[in-house]
Short mmCIF file of all heavy atoms in Angstrom, two decimals:
data_model
loop_
_atom_site.label_atom_id
_atom_site.label_comp_id
_atom_site.label_asym_id
_atom_site.label_seq_id
_atom_site.Cartn_x
_atom_site.Cartn_y
_atom_site.Cartn_z
N GLN A 1 19.09 -20.91 0.72
CA GLN A 1 18.49 -20.71 -0.60
C GLN A 1 17.41 -19.64 -0.59
O GLN A 1 17.18 -18.96 -1.59
CB GLN A 1 17.90 -22.02 -1.12
CG GLN A 1 18.92 -23.11 -1.40
CD GLN A 1 18.25 -24.39 -1.88
OE1 GLN A 1 17.41 -24.36 -2.77
NE2 GLN A 1 18.62 -25.51 -1.27
N LEU A 2 16.74 -19.48 0.57
CA LEU A 2 15.67 -18.49 0.67
C LEU A 2 16.17 -17.07 0.40
O LEU A 2 15.38 -16.19 0.06
CB LEU A 2 15.01 -18.55 2.05
CG LEU A 2 14.17 -19.80 2.35
CD1 LEU A 2 13.70 -19.78 3.79
CD2 LEU A 2 12.99 -19.88 1.39
N LEU A 3 17.48 -16.86 0.56
CA LEU A 3 18.05 -15.54 0.31
C LEU A 3 17.77 -15.08 -1.12
O LEU A 3 17.57 -13.89 -1.37
CB LEU A 3 19.57 -15.59 0.55
CG LEU A 3 20.36 -14.29 0.37
CD1 LEU A 3 19.92 -13.26 1.40
CD2 LEU A 3 21.85 -14.57 0.49
N SER A 4 17.72 -16.02 -2.06
CA SER A 4 17.53 -15.67 -3.46
C SER A 4 16.22 -16.21 -4.04
O SER A 4 15.55 -15.51 -4.80
CB SER A 4 18.69 -16.21 -4.30
OG SER A 4 18.49 -15.94 -5.67
N THR A 5 15.86 -17.43 -3.69
CA THR A 5 14.72 -18.08 -4.34
C THR A 5 13.44 -18.02 -3.52
O THR A 5 12.40 -18.51 -3.97
CB THR A 5 15.05 -19.55 -4.64
OG1 THR A 5 15.38 -20.22 -3.42
CG2 THR A 5 16.22 -19.65 -5.59
N GLY A 6 13.50 -17.46 -2.31
CA GLY A 6 12.32 -17.40 -1.46
C GLY A 6 11.37 -16.28 -1.86
O GLY A 6 11.71 -15.37 -2.61
N PHE A 7 10.15 -16.37 -1.33
CA PHE A 7 9.12 -15.37 -1.59
C PHE A 7 8.53 -14.89 -0.27
O PHE A 7 8.43 -15.66 0.69
CB PHE A 7 8.00 -15.94 -2.48
CG PHE A 7 8.43 -16.19 -3.89
CD1 PHE A 7 9.14 -17.34 -4.23
CD2 PHE A 7 8.14 -15.28 -4.90
CE1 PHE A 7 9.54 -17.58 -5.54
CE2 PHE A 7 8.54 -15.51 -6.20
CZ PHE A 7 9.24 -16.65 -6.52
N ILE A 8 8.12 -13.63 -0.23
CA ILE A 8 7.54 -13.05 0.97
C ILE A 8 6.13 -13.62 1.15
O ILE A 8 5.32 -13.58 0.22
CB ILE A 8 7.49 -11.52 0.87
CG1 ILE A 8 8.89 -10.96 0.65
CG2 ILE A 8 6.86 -10.92 2.13
CD1 ILE A 8 8.92 -9.48 0.32
N PRO A 9 5.82 -14.17 2.32
CA PRO A 9 4.47 -14.73 2.54
C PRO A 9 3.39 -13.66 2.38
O PRO A 9 3.60 -12.48 2.70
CB PRO A 9 4.53 -15.24 3.99
CG PRO A 9 5.98 -15.36 4.31
CD PRO A 9 6.69 -14.31 3.50
N ASP A 10 2.22 -14.08 1.89
CA ASP A 10 1.10 -13.17 1.74
C ASP A 10 0.46 -12.95 3.11
O ASP A 10 -0.34 -13.75 3.58
CB ASP A 10 0.07 -13.73 0.76
CG ASP A 10 -1.05 -12.74 0.45
OD1 ASP A 10 -0.98 -11.62 0.99
OD2 ASP A 10 -1.96 -13.10 -0.31
N LEU A 11 0.84 -11.85 3.75
CA LEU A 11 0.36 -11.57 5.10
C LEU A 11 -1.14 -11.32 5.14
O LEU A 11 -1.76 -11.40 6.20
CB LEU A 11 1.10 -10.35 5.67
CG LEU A 11 2.63 -10.47 5.72
CD1 LEU A 11 3.26 -9.18 6.25
CD2 LEU A 11 3.04 -11.66 6.59
N MET A 12 -1.74 -11.01 3.99
CA MET A 12 -3.18 -10.76 3.93
C MET A 12 -3.98 -12.03 3.77
O MET A 12 -5.20 -12.01 3.88
CB MET A 12 -3.49 -9.78 2.80
CG MET A 12 -2.82 -8.42 2.98
SD MET A 12 -3.26 -7.27 1.67
CE MET A 12 -2.40 -5.81 2.24
N GLY A 13 -3.28 -13.12 3.45
CA GLY A 13 -3.95 -14.41 3.36
C GLY A 13 -4.96 -14.53 2.23
O GLY A 13 -5.90 -15.31 2.30
N VAL A 14 -4.75 -13.76 1.16
CA VAL A 14 -5.72 -13.79 0.05
C VAL A 14 -5.49 -15.01 -0.83
O VAL A 14 -6.43 -15.63 -1.31
CB VAL A 14 -5.61 -12.49 -0.78
CG1 VAL A 14 -6.54 -12.55 -1.99
CG2 VAL A 14 -5.93 -11.29 0.08
N GLY A 15 -4.23 -15.37 -1.02
CA GLY A 15 -3.92 -16.48 -1.93
C GLY A 15 -3.57 -15.94 -3.29
O GLY A 15 -2.57 -15.27 -3.45
N ARG A 16 -4.41 -16.25 -4.29
CA ARG A 16 -4.19 -15.72 -5.63
C ARG A 16 -5.40 -14.91 -6.07
O ARG A 16 -6.52 -15.43 -6.03
CB ARG A 16 -3.92 -16.85 -6.63
CG ARG A 16 -2.54 -17.44 -6.49
CD ARG A 16 -2.18 -18.27 -7.70
NE ARG A 16 -0.85 -18.84 -7.57
CZ ARG A 16 -0.26 -19.55 -8.53
NH1 ARG A 16 -0.89 -19.77 -9.67
NH2 ARG A 16 0.94 -20.05 -8.35
N PRO A 17 -5.19 -13.66 -6.51
CA PRO A 17 -3.91 -12.97 -6.56
C PRO A 17 -3.35 -12.65 -5.18
O PRO A 17 -4.11 -12.51 -4.22
CB PRO A 17 -4.24 -11.67 -7.32
CG PRO A 17 -5.67 -11.43 -7.03
CD PRO A 17 -6.30 -12.79 -6.94
N ASN A 18 -2.02 -12.52 -5.11
CA ASN A 18 -1.34 -12.27 -3.85
C ASN A 18 -1.68 -10.86 -3.36
O ASN A 18 -1.35 -9.86 -3.98
CB ASN A 18 0.18 -12.40 -4.07
CG ASN A 18 0.97 -12.32 -2.79
OD1 ASN A 18 1.10 -11.25 -2.22
ND2 ASN A 18 1.50 -13.46 -2.34
N GLY A 19 -2.36 -10.80 -2.21
CA GLY A 19 -2.82 -9.51 -1.68
C GLY A 19 -1.69 -8.58 -1.31
O GLY A 19 -1.77 -7.37 -1.53
N LEU A 20 -0.59 -9.14 -0.77
CA LEU A 20 0.54 -8.30 -0.37
C LEU A 20 1.19 -7.65 -1.58
O LEU A 20 1.58 -6.48 -1.53
CB LEU A 20 1.56 -9.14 0.39
CG LEU A 20 2.80 -8.40 0.90
CD1 LEU A 20 2.40 -7.32 1.89
CD2 LEU A 20 3.79 -9.36 1.53
N ALA A 21 1.30 -8.40 -2.68
CA ALA A 21 1.90 -7.84 -3.89
C ALA A 21 1.05 -6.69 -4.44
O ALA A 21 1.58 -5.63 -4.81
CB ALA A 21 2.06 -8.93 -4.95
N LEU A 22 -0.26 -6.87 -4.47
CA LEU A 22 -1.15 -5.81 -4.96
C LEU A 22 -1.09 -4.58 -4.07
O LEU A 22 -1.00 -3.45 -4.56
CB LEU A 22 -2.59 -6.35 -5.04
CG LEU A 22 -2.84 -7.49 -6.04
CD1 LEU A 22 -4.28 -7.97 -5.95
CD2 LEU A 22 -2.53 -7.03 -7.47
N ALA A 23 -1.14 -4.81 -2.77
CA ALA A 23 -1.09 -3.68 -1.83
C ALA A 23 0.25 -2.95 -1.93
O ALA A 23 0.30 -1.71 -1.84
CB ALA A 23 -1.32 -4.19 -0.41
N SER A 24 1.33 -3.70 -2.12
CA SER A 24 2.65 -3.08 -2.24
C SER A 24 2.73 -2.19 -3.48
O SER A 24 3.33 -1.11 -3.44
CB SER A 24 3.74 -4.16 -2.30
OG SER A 24 3.74 -4.93 -1.12
N GLY A 25 2.13 -2.65 -4.58
CA GLY A 25 2.11 -1.85 -5.80
C GLY A 25 1.38 -0.53 -5.61
O GLY A 25 1.86 0.54 -6.01
N VAL A 26 0.20 -0.60 -5.00
CA VAL A 26 -0.59 0.61 -4.75
C VAL A 26 0.15 1.55 -3.81
O VAL A 26 0.20 2.77 -4.02
CB VAL A 26 -1.97 0.23 -4.17
CG1 VAL A 26 -2.73 1.49 -3.76
CG2 VAL A 26 -2.77 -0.56 -5.20
N LEU A 27 0.76 0.99 -2.76
CA LEU A 27 1.51 1.81 -1.80
C LEU A 27 2.71 2.48 -2.47
O LEU A 27 2.98 3.67 -2.23
CB LEU A 27 1.97 0.94 -0.64
CG LEU A 27 2.80 1.64 0.46
CD1 LEU A 27 1.97 2.73 1.12
CD2 LEU A 27 3.29 0.62 1.49
N ALA A 28 3.42 1.74 -3.32
CA ALA A 28 4.58 2.30 -4.02
C ALA A 28 4.17 3.46 -4.91
O ALA A 28 4.84 4.51 -4.94
CB ALA A 28 5.28 1.21 -4.84
N VAL A 29 3.08 3.30 -5.65
CA VAL A 29 2.59 4.38 -6.51
C VAL A 29 2.21 5.60 -5.68
O VAL A 29 2.55 6.74 -6.03
CB VAL A 29 1.38 3.89 -7.34
CG1 VAL A 29 0.70 5.06 -8.03
CG2 VAL A 29 1.82 2.86 -8.37
N GLY A 30 1.52 5.38 -4.56
CA GLY A 30 1.15 6.49 -3.69
C GLY A 30 2.36 7.24 -3.15
O GLY A 30 2.37 8.48 -3.12
N LEU A 31 3.39 6.50 -2.74
CA LEU A 31 4.61 7.13 -2.21
C LEU A 31 5.33 7.94 -3.28
O LEU A 31 5.80 9.06 -3.02
CB LEU A 31 5.55 6.06 -1.64
CG LEU A 31 5.21 5.51 -0.26
CD1 LEU A 31 6.11 4.34 0.08
CD2 LEU A 31 5.33 6.60 0.80
N ILE A 32 5.41 7.39 -4.49
CA ILE A 32 6.09 8.10 -5.58
C ILE A 32 5.37 9.40 -5.90
O ILE A 32 6.00 10.46 -6.08
CB ILE A 32 6.19 7.19 -6.83
CG1 ILE A 32 7.19 6.06 -6.58
CG2 ILE A 32 6.59 8.00 -8.06
CD1 ILE A 32 7.21 5.01 -7.66
N LEU A 33 4.03 9.36 -5.97
CA LEU A 33 3.26 10.57 -6.24
C LEU A 33 3.42 11.59 -5.12
O LEU A 33 3.57 12.79 -5.36
CB LEU A 33 1.79 10.21 -6.44
CG LEU A 33 1.45 9.47 -7.74
CD1 LEU A 33 -0.01 9.07 -7.76
CD2 LEU A 33 1.79 10.33 -8.95
N TRP A 34 3.39 11.12 -3.88
CA TRP A 34 3.53 12.02 -2.73
C TRP A 34 4.90 12.70 -2.72
O TRP A 34 4.99 13.91 -2.52
CB TRP A 34 3.32 11.24 -1.44
CG TRP A 34 3.50 12.08 -0.21
CD1 TRP A 34 2.64 13.02 0.28
CD2 TRP A 34 4.63 12.07 0.68
NE1 TRP A 34 3.15 13.59 1.43
CE2 TRP A 34 4.37 13.03 1.69
CE3 TRP A 34 5.81 11.34 0.73
CZ2 TRP A 34 5.27 13.27 2.72
CZ3 TRP A 34 6.71 11.59 1.76
CH2 TRP A 34 6.43 12.54 2.74
N ILE A 35 5.94 11.91 -2.98
CA ILE A 35 7.30 12.48 -3.02
C ILE A 35 7.43 13.48 -4.16
O ILE A 35 8.03 14.56 -4.02
CB ILE A 35 8.35 11.35 -3.15
CG1 ILE A 35 8.38 10.51 -1.87
CG2 ILE A 35 9.73 11.92 -3.45
CD1 ILE A 35 9.21 9.26 -1.97
N GLY A 36 6.85 13.13 -5.33
CA GLY A 36 6.91 14.04 -6.47
C GLY A 36 6.18 15.35 -6.21
O GLY A 36 6.70 16.44 -6.51
N LEU A 37 4.98 15.30 -5.65
CA LEU A 37 4.22 16.51 -5.35
C LEU A 37 4.90 17.34 -4.27
O LEU A 37 4.88 18.58 -4.33
CB LEU A 37 2.80 16.13 -4.92
CG LEU A 37 1.91 15.54 -6.04
CD1 LEU A 37 0.61 15.00 -5.45
CD2 LEU A 37 1.61 16.60 -7.10
N ARG A 38 5.49 16.65 -3.31
CA ARG A 38 6.21 17.36 -2.25
C ARG A 38 7.42 18.11 -2.83
O ARG A 38 7.71 19.25 -2.45
CB ARG A 38 6.66 16.35 -1.19
CG ARG A 38 7.21 16.96 0.08
CD ARG A 38 7.26 15.90 1.16
NE ARG A 38 7.98 16.39 2.33
CZ ARG A 38 9.19 16.01 2.69
NH1 ARG A 38 9.83 15.12 1.96
NH2 ARG A 38 9.77 16.49 3.77
N GLY A 39 8.12 17.44 -3.76
CA GLY A 39 9.25 18.09 -4.40
C GLY A 39 8.82 19.30 -5.22
O GLY A 39 9.50 20.34 -5.23
N ARG A 40 7.68 19.19 -5.92
CA ARG A 40 7.18 20.32 -6.70
C ARG A 40 6.82 21.50 -5.81
O ARG A 40 7.09 22.66 -6.13
CB ARG A 40 5.96 19.90 -7.52
CG ARG A 40 6.28 18.98 -8.68
CD ARG A 40 5.02 18.70 -9.49
NE ARG A 40 4.54 19.91 -10.15
CZ ARG A 40 5.00 20.38 -11.30
NH1 ARG A 40 5.97 19.73 -11.94
NH2 ARG A 40 4.51 21.48 -11.83
N ALA A 41 6.20 21.19 -4.66
CA ALA A 41 5.85 22.25 -3.72
C ALA A 41 7.10 22.95 -3.19
O ALA A 41 7.13 24.19 -3.04
CB ALA A 41 5.02 21.67 -2.57
N ARG A 42 8.15 22.17 -2.92
CA ARG A 42 9.40 22.76 -2.43
C ARG A 42 10.04 23.64 -3.50
O ARG A 42 10.52 24.75 -3.22
CB ARG A 42 10.37 21.65 -2.01
CG ARG A 42 11.67 22.17 -1.41
CD ARG A 42 12.57 21.05 -0.94
NE ARG A 42 12.96 20.15 -2.01
CZ ARG A 42 12.51 18.91 -2.15
NH1 ARG A 42 11.66 18.40 -1.27
NH2 ARG A 42 12.90 18.15 -3.16
#
């Protein structure tokens, strides 16, 4: 069941709000901006 209904443990141990979720959001935004700027430079 964990294949579909499970959740990734909060490796940062923050609890609520989930630190891993927040960090993942910031990291995703940073990667998207970096890829976009790199593409513009190319």
